[in-house]
Amino acid sequence: MQIKPLPILAGLLAISLAICAVGAEGAADSLTKLPLPMAGAPLALFDNPNRLDAVPVCKSSSTMNFYSARSGTVSAAVSWYAAHLSGFKHVHGMGSGRSQDTFYNAGGTLIVSITGEPSAEGQDTKVYSVIYGTIQPGVTDKVIAAMNSQTAACP
């Protein structure tokens, strides 16, 4: 019996593509389990985040995954996260000459924060980084807004 390589290669390719599609569709941050932009999204992040443990946020403690951006504009990233983080609130600010956009859940325990390249307010720039984080115990809207402008708003 002679094995025909073409049907076997086609079958392996189909299986590989199916595995890649499932992996990309379900890509999530390891810390928060929130969705990561997948292939074809208007934002691309480097795969290996830097873990930042025990970052103080007022009287709370947070753990964060810091992702550097490969490509994408702030406006496109904000649109993508608005469509993929159902039920999350969004707040915009400026800190250190960079746009800061944070999405957070109602309890203030999960955040995704987009930082732009240096720019003037209202200017759409490239994304510098995205942070996925957990905060325990959760913080208020006021505290999250203050994080975006890098001002103190601790109760």
Side-chain angles (χ1 to χ4, degrees):
M1 178 171 120
Q2 186 176 10
I3 298 176
K4 296 182 179 180
L6 188 55
I8 292 173
L9 289 175
L12 288 174
L13 179 60
I15 291 170
S16 296
L17 290 173
I19 290 170
C20 288
V22 169
E25 190 173 298
D29 173 63
S30 62
L31 174 65
T32 63
K33 308 304 182 225
L34 295 173
L36 288 166
M38 55 223 132
L43 171 67
L45 305 175
F46 285 99
D47 295 334
N48 297 320
N50 290 319
R51 176 68 63 98
L52 309 172
D53 292 322
V55 177
V57 178
C58 294
K59 295 179 183 176
S60 299
S61 182
S62 66
T63 301
M64 300 181 184
N65 277 342
F66 177 95
Y67 292 86
S68 294
R70 288 180 193 241
S71 65
T73 63
V74 171
S75 63
V78 167
S79 293
W80 190 89
Y81 283 107
H84 289 84
L85 296 176
S86 179
F88 275 56
K89 298 177 185 181
H90 170 241
V91 65
H92 169 78
M94 288 292 289
S96 298
R98 296 172 182 265
S99 66
Q100 304 283 331
D101 288 273
T102 300
F103 289 87
Y104 60 102
N105 67 351
T109 58
L110 293 174
I111 65 165
V112 175
S113 188
I114 305 157
T115 300
E117 293 285 346
S119 68
E121 175 65 55
Q123 183 181 0
D124 193 17
T125 64
K126 292 181 180 180
V127 173
Y128 173 73
S129 66
V130 177
I131 290 177
Y132 284 70
T134 62
I135 303 173
Q136 293 297 328
V139 295
T140 65
D141 296 354
K142 184 178 176 182
V143 169
I144 291 177
M147 288 169 45
N148 276 1
S149 62
Q150 300 175 353
T151 59
C154 296

